[in-house]
Amino acid sequence: MLKFPENFYWGTATSAYQVEGGIKNDWSAAGGKYDAGIACDHYHRFEEDFNLAQQMNNNAHRFSIEWARIEPEEGKFDQKEIEHYRKVILALKQRGLEPFVTLWHFFLPVWFAKKGGWLNKDAPKYFARYAEFIVKNLSGVKFWIPLNEPNNVYAALSFLTGKWPPFIKNWFKFRKVSKQLIETHKKSYKLIHKISPNAFVGIAQSRTYFKGIIRIVNTIWNEEFLNKTENSHDFIGLNYYAGVSVTGFLETDGKNDRGWGIYPEGIYRVLKELKKYNKPIYITENGLADAKDDRRAKFIIKHLEWVYKAIKEGIDVRGYFHWSLLDNLELEQGFWPRFGLIEIDYDNNLKRIPRPSSKIYAEICKNNGLNI
């Protein structure tokens, strides 16, 4: 039996735009595959979904608040929507699920996007105003994540490769946005602690394990953001999906439906890299696209075996959040990749169907470890 530390957090993660439905933001404005539409209708069915998380013996849940809902027009905050998120937090707590709240998970209000979004010189101030409103109005939240995957995912895909809105391919704008997001995180950290001194504030950073000669890109891709915000973290959130070698993705355990190599050892290697920051670590995302659900259980177990090894070697890992609770809009890929422990039947009234892997995860959470 591989027992994890007492008070370890077991949960899943979601993102508002990708599951809630009915959101008007810069992505929905782009139309086509970027428009989530009704998504999973999690906005109206969150209690049903949290019941499923509770049945998996989860004791925590990571979710995001949609900025475009809260501030649909510049400087005008929607009280109805803040009340909605109060109900979300209450529903989690009633089920024994600790809320981990992300303030921004890639998506922008249309008014902010029209001002240039993160390229606007006052972007950190706009975000701080929104963050202040949220933290002042949502009591009972201990864990805050201001930004999700800011530089090496969002900035790269929106301003370097141009795959995401605003579809820009410009190195200099990519670097400017990265700097703006660094400043935004530091400002948010101070602001949240001023309002809620006992809060824990951290980042959710996607981190890839690079092997071979391409480890030279590690400094900018993985470490720059943490190095420049080092004194603005109470914890580090790690989003880990794959490793990369000179010849492409490592393929020791095959590939998922999106063609990403499954490399469980990489999560251990990345955790070892993060040890030098001397912060508690939460695995804030880890998952795979697997519509047949024939690899997910093994994926979870193998990754957790390596997380356990890291813990035994003195790395302070305190929680694991699987991506995702539900099938959802997988960003520019649309709805076809299936990452959910819970299947969404898009052709049958968005019926929720727990996958077999969810039962395996439920046992892990119940036992606080792996029975192997």
Side-chain angles (χ1 to χ4, degrees), residues 212-241:
I213 193 170
I214 58 171
R215 281 191 61 75
I216 195 168
V217 307
N218 193 58
T219 300
I220 288 180
W221 210 246
N222 280 337
E223 297 190 349
E224 181 186 47
F225 195 94
L226 284 177
N227 289 341
K228 291 189 175 180
T229 57
E230 190 170 357
N231 297 319
S232 300
H233 299 281
D234 302 315
F235 66 88
I236 294 171
L238 168 63
N239 296 353
Y240 175 81
Y241 290 91

Tab-separated table of all heavy atoms in Angstrom, residues 212-241:
chain	number	residue	atom	x	y	z
A	212	GLY	N	17.086	15.492	-23.249
A	212	GLY	CA	18.072	15.611	-24.304
A	212	GLY	C	18.493	17.051	-24.538
A	212	GLY	O	18.357	17.918	-23.681
A	213	ILE	N	18.970	17.325	-25.727
A	213	ILE	CA	19.546	18.635	-26.038
A	213	ILE	C	18.517	19.762	-25.923
A	213	ILE	O	18.872	20.909	-25.643
A	213	ILE	CB	20.185	18.614	-27.450
A	213	ILE	CG1	21.064	19.864	-27.660
A	213	ILE	CG2	19.110	18.519	-28.525
A	213	ILE	CD1	21.902	19.788	-28.907
A	214	ILE	N	17.231	19.452	-26.100
A	214	ILE	CA	16.224	20.511	-26.045
A	214	ILE	C	15.959	20.995	-24.622
A	214	ILE	O	15.157	21.901	-24.418
A	214	ILE	CB	14.900	20.101	-26.717
A	214	ILE	CG1	14.324	18.841	-26.066
A	214	ILE	CG2	15.062	19.935	-28.197
A	214	ILE	CD1	12.924	18.524	-26.538
A	215	ARG	N	16.656	20.417	-23.627
A	215	ARG	CA	16.524	20.947	-22.274
A	215	ARG	C	17.002	22.392	-22.196
A	215	ARG	O	16.705	23.110	-21.250
A	215	ARG	CB	17.294	20.086	-21.268
A	215	ARG	CG	16.549	18.817	-20.895
A	215	ARG	CD	17.177	18.118	-19.713
A	215	ARG	NE	17.187	18.933	-18.520
A	215	ARG	CZ	16.122	19.175	-17.772
A	215	ARG	NH1	14.941	18.689	-18.119
A	215	ARG	NH2	16.221	19.909	-16.697
A	216	ILE	N	17.700	22.849	-23.236
A	216	ILE	CA	18.155	24.245	-23.265
A	216	ILE	C	16.971	25.209	-23.260
A	216	ILE	O	17.077	26.344	-22.788
A	216	ILE	CB	19.060	24.490	-24.500
A	216	ILE	CG1	19.833	25.798	-24.335
A	216	ILE	CG2	18.248	24.510	-25.788
A	216	ILE	CD1	20.942	25.966	-25.346
A	217	VAL	N	15.808	24.769	-23.743
A	217	VAL	CA	14.636	25.648	-23.757
A	217	VAL	C	13.952	25.690	-22.393
A	217	VAL	O	13.043	26.481	-22.174
A	217	VAL	CB	13.601	25.224	-24.825
A	217	VAL	CG1	14.246	25.091	-26.185
A	217	VAL	CG2	12.914	23.923	-24.432
A	218	ASN	N	14.403	24.855	-21.469
A	218	ASN	CA	13.757	24.742	-20.168
A	218	ASN	C	13.759	26.059	-19.414
A	218	ASN	O	12.794	26.405	-18.731
A	218	ASN	CB	14.455	23.661	-19.343
A	218	ASN	CG	13.667	23.260	-18.116
A	218	ASN	OD1	12.526	22.833	-18.221
A	218	ASN	ND2	14.257	23.404	-16.956
A	219	THR	N	14.850	26.819	-19.536
A	219	THR	CA	14.989	28.053	-18.756
A	219	THR	C	13.871	29.031	-19.070
A	219	THR	O	13.202	29.546	-18.163
A	219	THR	CB	16.352	28.708	-19.026
A	219	THR	OG1	17.368	27.778	-18.656
A	219	THR	CG2	16.508	29.982	-18.198
A	220	ILE	N	13.630	29.292	-20.347
A	220	ILE	CA	12.570	30.234	-20.710
A	220	ILE	C	11.203	29.571	-20.576
A	220	ILE	O	10.280	30.140	-20.001
A	220	ILE	CB	12.765	30.746	-22.155
A	220	ILE	CG1	13.947	31.702	-22.210
A	220	ILE	CG2	11.509	31.448	-22.648
A	220	ILE	CD1	14.220	32.274	-23.582
A	221	TRP	N	11.076	28.347	-21.069
A	221	TRP	CA	9.753	27.738	-21.173
A	221	TRP	C	9.163	27.377	-19.819
A	221	TRP	O	7.983	27.551	-19.571
A	221	TRP	CB	9.832	26.503	-22.062
A	221	TRP	CG	8.563	26.244	-22.787
A	221	TRP	CD1	7.732	25.189	-22.629
A	221	TRP	CD2	7.962	27.077	-23.772
A	221	TRP	NE1	6.646	25.303	-23.472
A	221	TRP	CE2	6.769	26.455	-24.187
A	221	TRP	CE3	8.317	28.289	-24.365
A	221	TRP	CZ2	5.932	26.997	-25.141
A	221	TRP	CZ3	7.484	28.830	-25.323
A	221	TRP	CH2	6.311	28.194	-25.704
A	222	ASN	N	9.985	26.854	-18.927
A	222	ASN	CA	9.467	26.373	-17.655
A	222	ASN	C	9.816	27.254	-16.458
A	222	ASN	O	9.055	27.300	-15.492
A	222	ASN	CB	9.988	24.959	-17.362
A	222	ASN	CG	9.222	23.885	-18.099
A	222	ASN	OD1	8.076	24.082	-18.488
A	222	ASN	ND2	9.847	22.746	-18.305
A	223	GLU	N	10.958	27.918	-16.491
A	223	GLU	CA	11.458	28.526	-15.264
A	223	GLU	C	11.344	30.044	-15.189
A	223	GLU	O	11.366	30.600	-14.101
A	223	GLU	CB	12.913	28.103	-15.029
A	223	GLU	CG	13.038	26.599	-14.834
A	223	GLU	CD	14.417	26.178	-14.361
A	223	GLU	OE1	15.332	27.019	-14.375
A	223	GLU	OE2	14.564	25.002	-13.975
A	224	GLU	N	11.238	30.726	-16.312
A	224	GLU	CA	11.258	32.187	-16.274
A	224	GLU	C	10.152	32.748	-15.385
A	224	GLU	O	10.395	33.618	-14.542
A	224	GLU	CB	11.123	32.766	-17.685
A	224	GLU	CG	11.168	34.299	-17.675
A	224	GLU	CD	10.888	34.902	-19.032
A	224	GLU	OE1	9.926	34.484	-19.699
A	224	GLU	OE2	11.631	35.819	-19.412
A	225	PHE	N	8.933	32.261	-15.568
A	225	PHE	CA	7.812	32.829	-14.812
A	225	PHE	C	8.011	32.632	-13.311
A	225	PHE	O	7.847	33.560	-12.521
A	225	PHE	CB	6.486	32.196	-15.259
A	225	PHE	CG	5.282	32.963	-14.797
A	225	PHE	CD1	4.692	33.907	-15.616
A	225	PHE	CD2	4.736	32.747	-13.535
A	225	PHE	CE1	3.575	34.631	-15.197
A	225	PHE	CE2	3.627	33.458	-13.104
A	225	PHE	CZ	3.052	34.400	-13.934
A	226	LEU	N	8.377	31.422	-12.913
A	226	LEU	CA	8.578	31.157	-11.486
A	226	LEU	C	9.754	31.954	-10.932
A	226	LEU	O	9.694	32.464	-9.810
A	226	LEU	CB	8.810	29.664	-11.260
A	226	LEU	CG	7.578	28.777	-11.337
A	226	LEU	CD1	7.971	27.310	-11.176
A	226	LEU	CD2	6.557	29.163	-10.277
A	227	ASN	N	10.816	32.067	-11.693
A	227	ASN	CA	11.981	32.814	-11.220
A	227	ASN	C	11.657	34.291	-11.011
A	227	ASN	O	12.141	34.922	-10.070
A	227	ASN	CB	13.138	32.676	-12.201
A	227	ASN	CG	13.736	31.280	-12.197
A	227	ASN	OD1	13.542	30.519	-11.244
A	227	ASN	ND2	14.447	30.919	-13.249
A	228	LYS	N	10.817	34.852	-11.876
A	228	LYS	CA	10.510	36.284	-11.794
A	228	LYS	C	9.345	36.590	-10.859
A	228	LYS	O	9.043	37.764	-10.620
A	228	LYS	CB	10.238	36.837	-13.190
A	228	LYS	CG	11.498	36.859	-14.053
A	228	LYS	CD	11.289	37.605	-15.357
A	228	LYS	CE	12.610	37.698	-16.126
A	228	LYS	NZ	12.445	38.430	-17.412
A	229	THR	N	8.706	35.544	-10.343
A	229	THR	CA	7.620	35.753	-9.375
A	229	THR	C	7.891	34.957	-8.096
A	229	THR	O	6.987	34.643	-7.335
A	229	THR	CB	6.259	35.306	-9.962
A	229	THR	OG1	6.348	33.928	-10.349
A	229	THR	CG2	5.874	36.147	-11.165
A	230	GLU	N	9.146	34.663	-7.851
A	230	GLU	CA	9.519	33.700	-6.809
A	230	GLU	C	8.984	34.066	-5.431
A	230	GLU	O	8.645	33.189	-4.636
A	230	GLU	CB	11.042	33.547	-6.753
A	230	GLU	CG	11.487	32.396	-5.876
A	230	GLU	CD	12.971	32.098	-6.015
A	230	GLU	OE1	13.644	32.740	-6.838
A	230	GLU	OE2	13.451	31.224	-5.285
A	231	ASN	N	8.912	35.344	-5.114
A	231	ASN	CA	8.437	35.761	-3.794
A	231	ASN	C	6.930	36.011	-3.761
A	231	ASN	O	6.430	36.614	-2.817
A	231	ASN	CB	9.190	37.023	-3.360
A	231	ASN	CG	10.680	36.772	-3.197
A	231	ASN	OD1	11.085	35.729	-2.676
A	231	ASN	ND2	11.507	37.704	-3.672
A	232	SER	N	6.231	35.543	-4.778
A	232	SER	CA	4.792	35.770	-4.875
A	232	SER	C	4.023	34.457	-5.003
A	232	SER	O	3.026	34.357	-5.733
A	232	SER	CB	4.483	36.682	-6.075
A	232	SER	OG	5.116	37.935	-5.933
A	233	HIS	N	4.506	33.448	-4.278
A	233	HIS	CA	3.843	32.142	-4.289
A	233	HIS	C	3.841	31.560	-2.891
A	233	HIS	O	4.881	31.498	-2.240
A	233	HIS	CB	4.568	31.154	-5.217
A	233	HIS	CG	4.625	31.577	-6.648
A	233	HIS	ND1	3.559	31.431	-7.494
A	233	HIS	CD2	5.612	32.146	-7.371
A	233	HIS	CE1	3.895	31.897	-8.686
A	233	HIS	NE2	5.127	32.339	-8.633
A	234	ASP	N	2.683	31.122	-2.441
A	234	ASP	CA	2.613	30.314	-1.225
A	234	ASP	C	2.664	28.831	-1.577
A	234	ASP	O	2.946	27.996	-0.723
A	234	ASP	CB	1.326	30.613	-0.453
A	234	ASP	CG	1.213	32.088	-0.083
A	234	ASP	OD1	2.217	32.650	0.386
A	234	ASP	OD2	0.125	32.665	-0.284
A	235	PHE	N	2.359	28.522	-2.820
A	235	PHE	CA	2.466	27.154	-3.327
A	235	PHE	C	2.649	27.216	-4.832
A	235	PHE	O	2.428	28.254	-5.468
A	235	PHE	CB	1.227	26.327	-2.971
A	235	PHE	CG	-0.053	26.775	-3.636
A	235	PHE	CD1	-0.422	26.306	-4.890
A	235	PHE	CD2	-0.898	27.676	-3.007
A	235	PHE	CE1	-1.598	26.713	-5.498
A	235	PHE	CE2	-2.085	28.095	-3.596
A	235	PHE	CZ	-2.432	27.610	-4.848
A	236	ILE	N	3.062	26.097	-5.404
A	236	ILE	CA	3.180	25.967	-6.857
A	236	ILE	C	2.181	24.911	-7.323
A	236	ILE	O	2.135	23.805	-6.794
A	236	ILE	CB	4.605	25.560	-7.271
A	236	ILE	CG1	5.590	26.681	-6.942
A	236	ILE	CG2	4.662	25.236	-8.768
A	236	ILE	CD1	7.046	26.297	-7.118
A	237	GLY	N	1.364	25.282	-8.293
A	237	GLY	CA	0.460	24.331	-8.920
A	237	GLY	C	1.098	23.814	-10.199
A	237	GLY	O	1.528	24.609	-11.053
A	238	LEU	N	1.192	22.516	-10.334
A	238	LEU	CA	1.818	21.899	-11.499
A	238	LEU	C	0.760	21.251	-12.383
A	238	LEU	O	0.003	20.389	-11.933
A	238	LEU	CB	2.830	20.836	-11.047
A	238	LEU	CG	3.360	19.899	-12.144
A	238	LEU	CD1	4.126	20.665	-13.213
A	238	LEU	CD2	4.227	18.801	-11.529
A	239	ASN	N	0.723	21.661	-13.644
A	239	ASN	CA	-0.100	21.003	-14.657
A	239	ASN	C	0.841	20.171	-15.528
A	239	ASN	O	1.695	20.731	-16.228
A	239	ASN	CB	-0.838	22.019	-15.530
A	239	ASN	CG	-1.830	22.858	-14.748
A	239	ASN	OD1	-2.077	22.622	-13.574
A	239	ASN	ND2	-2.409	23.852	-15.403
A	240	TYR	N	0.727	18.861	-15.452
A	240	TYR	CA	1.649	18.000	-16.195
A	240	TYR	C	0.867	17.025	-17.074
A	240	TYR	O	-0.023	16.320	-16.596
A	240	TYR	CB	2.560	17.208	-15.257
A	240	TYR	CG	3.441	16.220	-16.007
A	240	TYR	CD1	4.605	16.650	-16.637
A	240	TYR	CD2	3.065	14.893	-16.138
A	240	TYR	CE1	5.388	15.766	-17.365
A	240	TYR	CE2	3.842	13.993	-16.874
A	240	TYR	CZ	5.002	14.443	-17.481
A	240	TYR	OH	5.770	13.563	-18.220
A	241	TYR	N	1.267	16.957	-18.351
A	241	TYR	CA	0.616	16.057	-19.292
A	241	TYR	C	1.596	15.145	-20.033
A	241	TYR	O	1.270	14.005	-20.332
A	241	TYR	CB	-0.189	16.858	-20.322
A	241	TYR	CG	-1.421	17.513	-19.737
A	241	TYR	CD1	-1.381	18.802	-19.215
A	241	TYR	CD2	-2.637	16.831	-19.704
A	241	TYR	CE1	-2.512	19.393	-18.661
A	241	TYR	CE2	-3.775	17.409	-19.161
A	241	TYR	CZ	-3.700	18.687	-18.639
A	241	TYR	OH	-4.829	19.268	-18.085
